[in-house]
Amino acid sequence: MFMLCQKITQCRKALFDWSRVAFDNGVSRTNALVEMVEVLQQDNAQGQHNQCIRELRQEVNTLLLQDEIYWRQRSRESWLTAGDRNTKFFHQRAKQRKGRNLIKGIMDSNGIWWENEAHMGNVAIDYFNDIFSANPSMEMDDTIHVVDCVVNEDMNQQLLSPFTALEIRQAAFQMHPSKASGPD
């Protein structure tokens, strides 16, 4: 399990580095294109650069749209509609969410605070191993007799039956269009 977590972390870091190289030049590229448009407009007395200016403006608009889509996805807000602009407010919301989801450290069962990623992974594994492993001193029969039976036999058969195409379709179409599906 720990190896899987390490591989996922390595993959996340590699994807992050790749995205920096592949997509990070959007702002600088946009600024360079805007400057080129301004230079061409100043030297466009007879209209000889009209076609080039039009193409550059189209490319600037495409880059701005890509940037807006990126920040819309980062904001993870369903109320962000297609008409909303890419503003400082939405950048702050995206950064705020990232900060809120960041785990800076974790305390183990002995009260020791760990900030190292490897130690935090070990603390989490130990915690879940502890709560999900059977305790031989507990009498499970006594506990089971106290719990009310909620699922009857018919419900159990329905839960164990294979998914139908209609159920899969309904679940897929209930998802928000800009959200990713989860493990459930």
Side-chain angles (χ1 to χ4, degrees), residues 53-89:
I53 290 171
R54 196 173 304 115
E55 290 171 3
L56 288 173
R57 282 185 178 167
Q58 181 63 37
E59 191 172 347
V60 167
N61 287 337
T62 302
L63 289 172
L64 289 173
L65 178 63
Q66 288 173 349
D67 192 48
E68 185 173 338
I69 290 170
Y70 169 78
W71 284 105
R72 182 182 306 132
Q73 290 171 344
R74 284 277 314 265
S75 73
R76 300 273 299 209
E77 297 294 338
S78 55
W79 47 262
L80 177 59
T81 59
D84 290 327
R85 303 310 317 159
N86 183 7
T87 62
K88 182 179 177 183
F89 170 75

PDB file of all heavy atoms in Angstrom, residues 53-89:
ATOM      1  N   ILE A  53      -2.610  41.162 -38.121  1.00  0.00           N
ATOM      2  CA  ILE A  53      -3.189  41.652 -36.861  1.00  0.00           C
ATOM      3  C   ILE A  53      -4.412  40.812 -36.484  1.00  0.00           C
ATOM      4  O   ILE A  53      -4.585  40.419 -35.326  1.00  0.00           O
ATOM      5  CB  ILE A  53      -3.553  43.152 -36.981  1.00  0.00           C
ATOM      6  CG1 ILE A  53      -2.285  44.000 -37.055  1.00  0.00           C
ATOM      7  CG2 ILE A  53      -4.423  43.596 -35.812  1.00  0.00           C
ATOM      8  CD1 ILE A  53      -2.532  45.465 -37.380  1.00  0.00           C
ATOM      9  N   ARG A  54      -5.252  40.512 -37.453  1.00  0.00           N
ATOM     10  CA  ARG A  54      -6.447  39.703 -37.213  1.00  0.00           C
ATOM     11  C   ARG A  54      -6.061  38.315 -36.696  1.00  0.00           C
ATOM     12  O   ARG A  54      -6.653  37.801 -35.744  1.00  0.00           O
ATOM     13  CB  ARG A  54      -7.249  39.600 -38.516  1.00  0.00           C
ATOM     14  CG  ARG A  54      -8.669  39.128 -38.321  1.00  0.00           C
ATOM     15  CD  ARG A  54      -9.510  39.182 -39.599  1.00  0.00           C
ATOM     16  NE  ARG A  54      -9.543  40.517 -40.185  1.00  0.00           N
ATOM     17  CZ  ARG A  54      -9.027  40.842 -41.383  1.00  0.00           C
ATOM     18  NH1 ARG A  54      -8.466  39.919 -42.136  1.00  0.00           N
ATOM     19  NH2 ARG A  54      -9.098  42.076 -41.847  1.00  0.00           N
ATOM     20  N   GLU A  55      -5.059  37.696 -37.306  1.00  0.00           N
ATOM     21  CA  GLU A  55      -4.616  36.361 -36.883  1.00  0.00           C
ATOM     22  C   GLU A  55      -4.017  36.391 -35.477  1.00  0.00           C
ATOM     23  O   GLU A  55      -4.268  35.498 -34.661  1.00  0.00           O
ATOM     24  CB  GLU A  55      -3.597  35.808 -37.882  1.00  0.00           C
ATOM     25  CG  GLU A  55      -4.199  35.449 -39.220  1.00  0.00           C
ATOM     26  CD  GLU A  55      -3.151  35.111 -40.264  1.00  0.00           C
ATOM     27  OE1 GLU A  55      -1.941  35.098 -39.936  1.00  0.00           O
ATOM     28  OE2 GLU A  55      -3.537  34.848 -41.424  1.00  0.00           O
ATOM     29  N   LEU A  56      -3.226  37.422 -35.184  1.00  0.00           N
ATOM     30  CA  LEU A  56      -2.628  37.531 -33.857  1.00  0.00           C
ATOM     31  C   LEU A  56      -3.697  37.757 -32.784  1.00  0.00           C
ATOM     32  O   LEU A  56      -3.618  37.188 -31.688  1.00  0.00           O
ATOM     33  CB  LEU A  56      -1.593  38.659 -33.815  1.00  0.00           C
ATOM     34  CG  LEU A  56      -0.286  38.386 -34.567  1.00  0.00           C
ATOM     35  CD1 LEU A  56       0.587  39.641 -34.595  1.00  0.00           C
ATOM     36  CD2 LEU A  56       0.468  37.239 -33.916  1.00  0.00           C
ATOM     37  N   ARG A  57      -4.691  38.579 -33.088  1.00  0.00           N
ATOM     38  CA  ARG A  57      -5.781  38.804 -32.134  1.00  0.00           C
ATOM     39  C   ARG A  57      -6.552  37.504 -31.872  1.00  0.00           C
ATOM     40  O   ARG A  57      -6.947  37.232 -30.740  1.00  0.00           O
ATOM     41  CB  ARG A  57      -6.731  39.877 -32.658  1.00  0.00           C
ATOM     42  CG  ARG A  57      -6.207  41.270 -32.484  1.00  0.00           C
ATOM     43  CD  ARG A  57      -7.230  42.287 -32.915  1.00  0.00           C
ATOM     44  NE  ARG A  57      -6.735  43.631 -32.703  1.00  0.00           N
ATOM     45  CZ  ARG A  57      -7.293  44.706 -33.212  1.00  0.00           C
ATOM     46  NH1 ARG A  57      -8.382  44.591 -33.954  1.00  0.00           N
ATOM     47  NH2 ARG A  57      -6.791  45.895 -32.973  1.00  0.00           N
ATOM     48  N   GLN A  58      -6.754  36.738 -32.929  1.00  0.00           N
ATOM     49  CA  GLN A  58      -7.444  35.449 -32.767  1.00  0.00           C
ATOM     50  C   GLN A  58      -6.630  34.521 -31.856  1.00  0.00           C
ATOM     51  O   GLN A  58      -7.185  33.853 -30.988  1.00  0.00           O
ATOM     52  CB  GLN A  58      -7.669  34.788 -34.136  1.00  0.00           C
ATOM     53  CG  GLN A  58      -8.393  33.457 -34.063  1.00  0.00           C
ATOM     54  CD  GLN A  58      -9.799  33.596 -33.508  1.00  0.00           C
ATOM     55  OE1 GLN A  58     -10.487  34.560 -33.774  1.00  0.00           O
ATOM     56  NE2 GLN A  58     -10.216  32.628 -32.725  1.00  0.00           N
ATOM     57  N   GLU A  59      -5.328  34.504 -32.030  1.00  0.00           N
ATOM     58  CA  GLU A  59      -4.468  33.669 -31.189  1.00  0.00           C
ATOM     59  C   GLU A  59      -4.475  34.154 -29.738  1.00  0.00           C
ATOM     60  O   GLU A  59      -4.519  33.353 -28.803  1.00  0.00           O
ATOM     61  CB  GLU A  59      -3.036  33.658 -31.742  1.00  0.00           C
ATOM     62  CG  GLU A  59      -2.162  32.608 -31.093  1.00  0.00           C
ATOM     63  CD  GLU A  59      -0.802  32.461 -31.753  1.00  0.00           C
ATOM     64  OE1 GLU A  59      -0.602  32.988 -32.866  1.00  0.00           O
ATOM     65  OE2 GLU A  59       0.048  31.807 -31.129  1.00  0.00           O
ATOM     66  N   VAL A  60      -4.470  35.476 -29.538  1.00  0.00           N
ATOM     67  CA  VAL A  60      -4.553  36.040 -28.181  1.00  0.00           C
ATOM     68  C   VAL A  60      -5.869  35.618 -27.537  1.00  0.00           C
ATOM     69  O   VAL A  60      -5.898  35.196 -26.368  1.00  0.00           O
ATOM     70  CB  VAL A  60      -4.417  37.586 -28.209  1.00  0.00           C
ATOM     71  CG1 VAL A  60      -4.817  38.187 -26.877  1.00  0.00           C
ATOM     72  CG2 VAL A  60      -3.001  37.988 -28.571  1.00  0.00           C
ATOM     73  N   ASN A  61      -6.973  35.716 -28.270  1.00  0.00           N
ATOM     74  CA  ASN A  61      -8.274  35.313 -27.726  1.00  0.00           C
ATOM     75  C   ASN A  61      -8.302  33.833 -27.365  1.00  0.00           C
ATOM     76  O   ASN A  61      -8.871  33.447 -26.353  1.00  0.00           O
ATOM     77  CB  ASN A  61      -9.389  35.644 -28.720  1.00  0.00           C
ATOM     78  CG  ASN A  61      -9.663  37.125 -28.787  1.00  0.00           C
ATOM     79  OD1 ASN A  61      -9.365  37.868 -27.860  1.00  0.00           O
ATOM     80  ND2 ASN A  61     -10.228  37.567 -29.906  1.00  0.00           N
ATOM     81  N   THR A  62      -7.676  33.009 -28.193  1.00  0.00           N
ATOM     82  CA  THR A  62      -7.609  31.570 -27.905  1.00  0.00           C
ATOM     83  C   THR A  62      -6.823  31.312 -26.623  1.00  0.00           C
ATOM     84  O   THR A  62      -7.248  30.527 -25.770  1.00  0.00           O
ATOM     85  CB  THR A  62      -6.960  30.813 -29.082  1.00  0.00           C
ATOM     86  OG1 THR A  62      -7.727  31.057 -30.262  1.00  0.00           O
ATOM     87  CG2 THR A  62      -6.890  29.320 -28.804  1.00  0.00           C
ATOM     88  N   LEU A  63      -5.681  31.981 -26.470  1.00  0.00           N
ATOM     89  CA  LEU A  63      -4.876  31.807 -25.248  1.00  0.00           C
ATOM     90  C   LEU A  63      -5.619  32.305 -24.011  1.00  0.00           C
ATOM     91  O   LEU A  63      -5.566  31.682 -22.948  1.00  0.00           O
ATOM     92  CB  LEU A  63      -3.534  32.525 -25.394  1.00  0.00           C
ATOM     93  CG  LEU A  63      -2.540  31.888 -26.369  1.00  0.00           C
ATOM     94  CD1 LEU A  63      -1.335  32.799 -26.571  1.00  0.00           C
ATOM     95  CD2 LEU A  63      -2.107  30.528 -25.875  1.00  0.00           C
ATOM     96  N   LEU A  64      -6.329  33.430 -24.132  1.00  0.00           N
ATOM     97  CA  LEU A  64      -7.101  33.946 -23.001  1.00  0.00           C
ATOM     98  C   LEU A  64      -8.234  33.001 -22.629  1.00  0.00           C
ATOM     99  O   LEU A  64      -8.517  32.797 -21.444  1.00  0.00           O
ATOM    100  CB  LEU A  64      -7.646  35.341 -23.322  1.00  0.00           C
ATOM    101  CG  LEU A  64      -6.616  36.462 -23.383  1.00  0.00           C
ATOM    102  CD1 LEU A  64      -7.257  37.748 -23.871  1.00  0.00           C
ATOM    103  CD2 LEU A  64      -5.944  36.667 -22.038  1.00  0.00           C
ATOM    104  N   LEU A  65      -8.873  32.395 -23.628  1.00  0.00           N
ATOM    105  CA  LEU A  65      -9.932  31.425 -23.359  1.00  0.00           C
ATOM    106  C   LEU A  65      -9.372  30.195 -22.647  1.00  0.00           C
ATOM    107  O   LEU A  65      -9.966  29.691 -21.686  1.00  0.00           O
ATOM    108  CB  LEU A  65     -10.624  31.017 -24.659  1.00  0.00           C
ATOM    109  CG  LEU A  65     -11.726  29.972 -24.519  1.00  0.00           C
ATOM    110  CD1 LEU A  65     -12.870  30.520 -23.666  1.00  0.00           C
ATOM    111  CD2 LEU A  65     -12.235  29.553 -25.885  1.00  0.00           C
ATOM    112  N   GLN A  66      -8.209  29.705 -23.096  1.00  0.00           N
ATOM    113  CA  GLN A  66      -7.580  28.557 -22.435  1.00  0.00           C
ATOM    114  C   GLN A  66      -7.254  28.878 -20.981  1.00  0.00           C
ATOM    115  O   GLN A  66      -7.456  28.051 -20.087  1.00  0.00           O
ATOM    116  CB  GLN A  66      -6.313  28.147 -23.179  1.00  0.00           C
ATOM    117  CG  GLN A  66      -6.565  27.477 -24.497  1.00  0.00           C
ATOM    118  CD  GLN A  66      -5.283  27.227 -25.278  1.00  0.00           C
ATOM    119  OE1 GLN A  66      -4.213  27.725 -24.932  1.00  0.00           O
ATOM    120  NE2 GLN A  66      -5.395  26.450 -26.349  1.00  0.00           N
ATOM    121  N   ASP A  67      -6.758  30.088 -20.744  1.00  0.00           N
ATOM    122  CA  ASP A  67      -6.435  30.505 -19.380  1.00  0.00           C
ATOM    123  C   ASP A  67      -7.696  30.579 -18.525  1.00  0.00           C
ATOM    124  O   ASP A  67      -7.698  30.157 -17.365  1.00  0.00           O
ATOM    125  CB  ASP A  67      -5.715  31.860 -19.416  1.00  0.00           C
ATOM    126  CG  ASP A  67      -5.099  32.211 -18.083  1.00  0.00           C
ATOM    127  OD1 ASP A  67      -4.410  31.356 -17.486  1.00  0.00           O
ATOM    128  OD2 ASP A  67      -5.294  33.353 -17.630  1.00  0.00           O
ATOM    129  N   GLU A  68      -8.774  31.101 -19.089  1.00  0.00           N
ATOM    130  CA  GLU A  68     -10.033  31.190 -18.352  1.00  0.00           C
ATOM    131  C   GLU A  68     -10.571  29.808 -18.021  1.00  0.00           C
ATOM    132  O   GLU A  68     -11.033  29.552 -16.912  1.00  0.00           O
ATOM    133  CB  GLU A  68     -11.058  31.975 -19.167  1.00  0.00           C
ATOM    134  CG  GLU A  68     -12.345  32.208 -18.413  1.00  0.00           C
ATOM    135  CD  GLU A  68     -13.290  33.118 -19.155  1.00  0.00           C
ATOM    136  OE1 GLU A  68     -12.844  33.892 -20.017  1.00  0.00           O
ATOM    137  OE2 GLU A  68     -14.490  33.050 -18.858  1.00  0.00           O
ATOM    138  N   ILE A  69     -10.499  28.891 -18.969  1.00  0.00           N
ATOM    139  CA  ILE A  69     -10.957  27.514 -18.723  1.00  0.00           C
ATOM    140  C   ILE A  69     -10.121  26.867 -17.620  1.00  0.00           C
ATOM    141  O   ILE A  69     -10.645  26.191 -16.732  1.00  0.00           O
ATOM    142  CB  ILE A  69     -10.911  26.690 -20.024  1.00  0.00           C
ATOM    143  CG1 ILE A  69     -11.988  27.174 -20.994  1.00  0.00           C
ATOM    144  CG2 ILE A  69     -11.081  25.199 -19.743  1.00  0.00           C
ATOM    145  CD1 ILE A  69     -11.863  26.600 -22.389  1.00  0.00           C
ATOM    146  N   TYR A  70      -8.813  27.097 -17.668  1.00  0.00           N
ATOM    147  CA  TYR A  70      -7.920  26.545 -16.637  1.00  0.00           C
ATOM    148  C   TYR A  70      -8.340  27.031 -15.252  1.00  0.00           C
ATOM    149  O   TYR A  70      -8.486  26.241 -14.321  1.00  0.00           O
ATOM    150  CB  TYR A  70      -6.477  26.965 -16.946  1.00  0.00           C
ATOM    151  CG  TYR A  70      -5.512  26.685 -15.821  1.00  0.00           C
ATOM    152  CD1 TYR A  70      -5.021  25.407 -15.596  1.00  0.00           C
ATOM    153  CD2 TYR A  70      -5.084  27.700 -14.972  1.00  0.00           C
ATOM    154  CE1 TYR A  70      -4.148  25.137 -14.571  1.00  0.00           C
ATOM    155  CE2 TYR A  70      -4.202  27.447 -13.939  1.00  0.00           C
ATOM    156  CZ  TYR A  70      -3.736  26.173 -13.737  1.00  0.00           C
ATOM    157  OH  TYR A  70      -2.874  25.917 -12.717  1.00  0.00           O
ATOM    158  N   TRP A  71      -8.575  28.334 -15.123  1.00  0.00           N
ATOM    159  CA  TRP A  71      -8.925  28.871 -13.809  1.00  0.00           C
ATOM    160  C   TRP A  71     -10.349  28.500 -13.412  1.00  0.00           C
ATOM    161  O   TRP A  71     -10.648  28.363 -12.224  1.00  0.00           O
ATOM    162  CB  TRP A  71      -8.689  30.377 -13.756  1.00  0.00           C
ATOM    163  CG  TRP A  71      -7.226  30.649 -13.640  1.00  0.00           C
ATOM    164  CD1 TRP A  71      -6.392  31.102 -14.606  1.00  0.00           C
ATOM    165  CD2 TRP A  71      -6.416  30.430 -12.488  1.00  0.00           C
ATOM    166  NE1 TRP A  71      -5.111  31.177 -14.136  1.00  0.00           N
ATOM    167  CE2 TRP A  71      -5.094  30.779 -12.830  1.00  0.00           C
ATOM    168  CE3 TRP A  71      -6.657  29.966 -11.191  1.00  0.00           C
ATOM    169  CZ2 TRP A  71      -4.040  30.686 -11.933  1.00  0.00           C
ATOM    170  CZ3 TRP A  71      -5.600  29.880 -10.306  1.00  0.00           C
ATOM    171  CH2 TRP A  71      -4.319  30.230 -10.679  1.00  0.00           C
ATOM    172  N   ARG A  72     -11.224  28.290 -14.361  1.00  0.00           N
ATOM    173  CA  ARG A  72     -12.578  27.830 -14.035  1.00  0.00           C
ATOM    174  C   ARG A  72     -12.504  26.432 -13.439  1.00  0.00           C
ATOM    175  O   ARG A  72     -13.161  26.113 -12.460  1.00  0.00           O
ATOM    176  CB  ARG A  72     -13.458  27.830 -15.281  1.00  0.00           C
ATOM    177  CG  ARG A  72     -14.899  27.410 -14.971  1.00  0.00           C
ATOM    178  CD  ARG A  72     -15.782  27.344 -16.193  1.00  0.00           C
ATOM    179  NE  ARG A  72     -15.753  28.586 -16.930  1.00  0.00           N
ATOM    180  CZ  ARG A  72     -15.582  28.666 -18.242  1.00  0.00           C
ATOM    181  NH1 ARG A  72     -15.417  27.570 -18.962  1.00  0.00           N
ATOM    182  NH2 ARG A  72     -15.569  29.824 -18.855  1.00  0.00           N
ATOM    183  N   GLN A  73     -11.669  25.578 -14.027  1.00  0.00           N
ATOM    184  CA  GLN A  73     -11.512  24.220 -13.504  1.00  0.00           C
ATOM    185  C   GLN A  73     -10.824  24.233 -12.145  1.00  0.00           C
ATOM    186  O   GLN A  73     -11.171  23.453 -11.254  1.00  0.00           O
ATOM    187  CB  GLN A  73     -10.716  23.373 -14.491  1.00  0.00           C
ATOM    188  CG  GLN A  73     -11.489  23.060 -15.748  1.00  0.00           C
ATOM    189  CD  GLN A  73     -10.633  22.401 -16.818  1.00  0.00           C
ATOM    190  OE1 GLN A  73      -9.413  22.438 -16.758  1.00  0.00           O
ATOM    191  NE2 GLN A  73     -11.272  21.815 -17.793  1.00  0.00           N
ATOM    192  N   ARG A  74      -9.856  25.115 -11.966  1.00  0.00           N
ATOM    193  CA  ARG A  74      -9.155  25.204 -10.677  1.00  0.00           C
ATOM    194  C   ARG A  74     -10.070  25.711  -9.574  1.00  0.00           C
ATOM    195  O   ARG A  74      -9.898  25.371  -8.411  1.00  0.00           O
ATOM    196  CB  ARG A  74      -7.956  26.156 -10.776  1.00  0.00           C
ATOM    197  CG  ARG A  74      -6.741  25.646 -11.472  1.00  0.00           C
ATOM    198  CD  ARG A  74      -5.834  24.802 -10.619  1.00  0.00           C
ATOM    199  NE  ARG A  74      -5.526  25.278  -9.305  1.00  0.00           N
ATOM    200  CZ  ARG A  74      -4.466  25.982  -8.959  1.00  0.00           C
ATOM    201  NH1 ARG A  74      -3.576  26.318  -9.864  1.00  0.00           N
ATOM    202  NH2 ARG A  74      -4.260  26.341  -7.711  1.00  0.00           N
ATOM    203  N   SER A  75     -11.023  26.576  -9.912  1.00  0.00           N
ATOM    204  CA  SER A  75     -11.869  27.165  -8.882  1.00  0.00           C
ATOM    205  C   SER A  75     -12.822  26.139  -8.282  1.00  0.00           C
ATOM    206  O   SER A  75     -13.251  26.277  -7.151  1.00  0.00           O
ATOM    207  CB  SER A  75     -12.672  28.338  -9.438  1.00  0.00           C
ATOM    208  OG  SER A  75     -13.694  27.886 -10.276  1.00  0.00           O
ATOM    209  N   ARG A  76     -13.175  25.114  -9.052  1.00  0.00           N
ATOM    210  CA  ARG A  76     -14.075  24.042  -8.611  1.00  0.00           C
ATOM    211  C   ARG A  76     -15.407  24.597  -8.087  1.00  0.00           C
ATOM    212  O   ARG A  76     -16.024  24.042  -7.197  1.00  0.00           O
ATOM    213  CB  ARG A  76     -13.420  23.189  -7.524  1.00  0.00           C
ATOM    214  CG  ARG A  76     -12.146  22.497  -7.898  1.00  0.00           C
ATOM    215  CD  ARG A  76     -12.400  21.196  -8.512  1.00  0.00           C
ATOM    216  NE  ARG A  76     -13.102  20.358  -7.553  1.00  0.00           N
ATOM    217  CZ  ARG A  76     -13.016  19.075  -7.509  1.00  0.00           C
ATOM    218  NH1 ARG A  76     -12.257  18.466  -8.351  1.00  0.00           N
ATOM    219  NH2 ARG A  76     -13.703  18.383  -6.641  1.00  0.00           N
ATOM    220  N   GLU A  77     -15.841  25.691  -8.642  1.00  0.00           N
ATOM    221  CA  GLU A  77     -17.104  26.287  -8.237  1.00  0.00           C
ATOM    222  C   GLU A  77     -18.138  26.031  -9.319  1.00  0.00           C
ATOM    223  O   GLU A  77     -17.943  26.381 -10.473  1.00  0.00           O
ATOM    224  CB  GLU A  77     -16.955  27.803  -8.026  1.00  0.00           C
ATOM    225  CG  GLU A  77     -15.997  28.172  -6.920  1.00  0.00           C
ATOM    226  CD  GLU A  77     -16.472  27.751  -5.551  1.00  0.00           C
ATOM    227  OE1 GLU A  77     -17.700  27.550  -5.379  1.00  0.00           O
ATOM    228  OE2 GLU A  77     -15.638  27.610  -4.655  1.00  0.00           O
ATOM    229  N   SER A  78     -19.263  25.441  -8.954  1.00  0.00           N
ATOM    230  CA  SER A  78     -20.286  25.145  -9.949  1.00  0.00           C
ATOM    231  C   SER A  78     -21.041  26.397 -10.361  1.00  0.00           C
ATOM    232  O   SER A  78     -21.680  26.423 -11.400  1.00  0.00           O
ATOM    233  CB  SER A  78     -21.254  24.091  -9.416  1.00  0.00           C
ATOM    234  OG  SER A  78     -21.794  24.514  -8.195  1.00  0.00           O
ATOM    235  N   TRP A  79     -20.967  27.477  -9.552  1.00  0.00           N
ATOM    236  CA  TRP A  79     -21.684  28.702  -9.913  1.00  0.00           C
ATOM    237  C   TRP A  79     -20.888  29.567 -10.877  1.00  0.00           C
ATOM    238  O   TRP A  79     -21.352  30.605 -11.318  1.00  0.00           O
ATOM    239  CB  TRP A  79     -22.057  29.500  -8.675  1.00  0.00           C
ATOM    240  CG  TRP A  79     -20.961  29.687  -7.685  1.00  0.00           C
ATOM    241  CD1 TRP A  79     -20.759  28.957  -6.557  1.00  0.00           C
ATOM    242  CD2 TRP A  79     -19.896  30.641  -7.722  1.00  0.00           C
ATOM    243  NE1 TRP A  79     -19.648  29.384  -5.893  1.00  0.00           N
ATOM    244  CE2 TRP A  79     -19.091  30.428  -6.592  1.00  0.00           C
ATOM    245  CE3 TRP A  79     -19.529  31.653  -8.602  1.00  0.00           C
ATOM    246  CZ2 TRP A  79     -17.969  31.186  -6.316  1.00  0.00           C
ATOM    247  CZ3 TRP A  79     -18.404  32.395  -8.318  1.00  0.00           C
ATOM    248  CH2 TRP A  79     -17.656  32.160  -7.184  1.00  0.00           C
ATOM    249  N   LEU A  80     -19.684  29.145 -11.231  1.00  0.00           N
ATOM    250  CA  LEU A  80     -18.887  29.902 -12.197  1.00  0.00           C
ATOM    251  C   LEU A  80     -19.402  29.570 -13.597  1.00  0.00           C
ATOM    252  O   LEU A  80     -19.189  28.494 -14.105  1.00  0.00           O
ATOM    253  CB  LEU A  80     -17.414  29.521 -12.067  1.00  0.00           C
ATOM    254  CG  LEU A  80     -16.438  30.157 -13.034  1.00  0.00           C
ATOM    255  CD1 LEU A  80     -16.490  31.668 -12.912  1.00  0.00           C
ATOM    256  CD2 LEU A  80     -15.047  29.672 -12.773  1.00  0.00           C
ATOM    257  N   THR A  81     -20.103  30.487 -14.192  1.00  0.00           N
ATOM    258  CA  THR A  81     -20.723  30.216 -15.489  1.00  0.00           C
ATOM    259  C   THR A  81     -19.795  30.643 -16.610  1.00  0.00           C
ATOM    260  O   THR A  81     -18.806  31.329 -16.397  1.00  0.00           O
ATOM    261  CB  THR A  81     -22.059  30.958 -15.626  1.00  0.00           C
ATOM    262  OG1 THR A  81     -21.797  32.358 -15.491  1.00  0.00           O
ATOM    263  CG2 THR A  81     -23.039  30.527 -14.554  1.00  0.00           C
ATOM    264  N   ALA A  82     -20.150  30.275 -17.825  1.00  0.00           N
ATOM    265  CA  ALA A  82     -19.301  30.561 -18.980  1.00  0.00           C
ATOM    266  C   ALA A  82     -19.124  32.058 -19.208  1.00  0.00           C
ATOM    267  O   ALA A  82     -18.144  32.479 -19.796  1.00  0.00           O
ATOM    268  CB  ALA A  82     -19.898  29.914 -20.228  1.00  0.00           C
ATOM    269  N   GLY A  83     -20.057  32.885 -18.737  1.00  0.00           N
ATOM    270  CA  GLY A  83     -19.947  34.326 -18.959  1.00  0.00           C
ATOM    271  C   GLY A  83     -19.036  35.030 -17.973  1.00  0.00           C
ATOM    272  O   GLY A  83     -18.701  36.199 -18.162  1.00  0.00           O
ATOM    273  N   ASP A  84     -18.644  34.387 -16.887  1.00  0.00           N
ATOM    274  CA  ASP A  84     -17.798  35.036 -15.893  1.00  0.00           C
ATOM    275  C   ASP A  84     -16.387  35.212 -16.419  1.00  0.00           C
ATOM    276  O   ASP A  84     -15.872  34.378 -17.151  1.00  0.00           O
ATOM    277  CB  ASP A  84     -17.764  34.221 -14.589  1.00  0.00           C
ATOM    278  CG  ASP A  84     -19.084  34.270 -13.863  1.00  0.00           C
ATOM    279  OD1 ASP A  84     -19.740  35.319 -13.949  1.00  0.00           O
ATOM    280  OD2 ASP A  84     -19.460  33.272 -13.238  1.00  0.00           O
ATOM    281  N   ARG A  85     -15.758  36.305 -16.032  1.00  0.00           N
ATOM    282  CA  ARG A  85     -14.437  36.622 -16.530  1.00  0.00           C
ATOM    283  C   ARG A  85     -13.354  36.046 -15.622  1.00  0.00           C
ATOM    284  O   ARG A  85     -13.567  35.790 -14.441  1.00  0.00           O
ATOM    285  CB  ARG A  85     -14.236  38.126 -16.641  1.00  0.00           C
ATOM    286  CG  ARG A  85     -15.234  38.832 -17.514  1.00  0.00           C
ATOM    287  CD  ARG A  85     -15.484  38.274 -18.892  1.00  0.00           C
ATOM    288  NE  ARG A  85     -14.339  37.845 -19.642  1.00  0.00           N
ATOM    289  CZ  ARG A  85     -14.399  37.001 -20.636  1.00  0.00           C
ATOM    290  NH1 ARG A  85     -15.540  36.487 -20.997  1.00  0.00           N
ATOM    291  NH2 ARG A  85     -13.314  36.660 -21.286  1.00  0.00           N
ATOM    292  N   ASN A  86     -12.190  35.901 -16.162  1.00  0.00           N
ATOM    293  CA  ASN A  86     -11.018  35.393 -15.467  1.00  0.00           C
ATOM    294  C   ASN A  86     -10.432  36.549 -14.650  1.00  0.00           C
ATOM    295  O   ASN A  86      -9.690  37.360 -15.154  1.00  0.00           O
ATOM    296  CB  ASN A  86     -10.034  34.885 -16.531  1.00  0.00           C
ATOM    297  CG  ASN A  86      -8.811  34.276 -15.920  1.00  0.00           C
ATOM    298  OD1 ASN A  86      -8.740  34.115 -14.705  1.00  0.00           O
ATOM    299  ND2 ASN A  86      -7.845  33.957 -16.745  1.00  0.00           N
ATOM    300  N   THR A  87     -10.788  36.635 -13.376  1.00  0.00           N
ATOM    301  CA  THR A  87     -10.409  37.788 -12.557  1.00  0.00           C
ATOM    302  C   THR A  87      -9.576  37.366 -11.359  1.00  0.00           C
ATOM    303  O   THR A  87      -9.408  36.178 -11.070  1.00  0.00           O
ATOM    304  CB  THR A  87     -11.665  38.511 -12.036  1.00  0.00           C
ATOM    305  OG1 THR A  87     -12.393  37.602 -11.194  1.00  0.00           O
ATOM    306  CG2 THR A  87     -12.558  38.979 -13.173  1.00  0.00           C
ATOM    307  N   LYS A  88      -9.095  38.378 -10.653  1.00  0.00           N
ATOM    308  CA  LYS A  88      -8.293  38.152  -9.449  1.00  0.00           C
ATOM    309  C   LYS A  88      -9.091  37.357  -8.408  1.00  0.00           C
ATOM    310  O   LYS A  88      -8.547  36.508  -7.711  1.00  0.00           O
ATOM    311  CB  LYS A  88      -7.873  39.513  -8.883  1.00  0.00           C
ATOM    312  CG  LYS A  88      -7.007  39.440  -7.656  1.00  0.00           C
ATOM    313  CD  LYS A  88      -6.622  40.838  -7.203  1.00  0.00           C
ATOM    314  CE  LYS A  88      -5.817  40.783  -5.927  1.00  0.00           C
ATOM    315  NZ  LYS A  88      -5.497  42.119  -5.438  1.00  0.00           N
ATOM    316  N   PHE A  89     -10.399  37.615  -8.338  1.00  0.00           N
ATOM    317  CA  PHE A  89     -11.264  36.910  -7.394  1.00  0.00           C
ATOM    318  C   PHE A  89     -11.199  35.399  -7.604  1.00  0.00           C
ATOM    319  O   PHE A  89     -11.044  34.640  -6.651  1.00  0.00           O
ATOM    320  CB  PHE A  89     -12.703  37.399  -7.556  1.00  0.00           C
ATOM    321  CG  PHE A  89     -13.710  36.572  -6.808  1.00  0.00           C
ATOM    322  CD1 PHE A  89     -13.839  36.680  -5.436  1.00  0.00           C
ATOM    323  CD2 PHE A  89     -14.534  35.677  -7.476  1.00  0.00           C
ATOM    324  CE1 PHE A  89     -14.755  35.927  -4.736  1.00  0.00           C
ATOM    325  CE2 PHE A  89     -15.450  34.917  -6.799  1.00  0.00           C
ATOM    326  CZ  PHE A  89     -15.569  35.042  -5.425  1.00  0.00           C
TER     327      PHE A  89
END
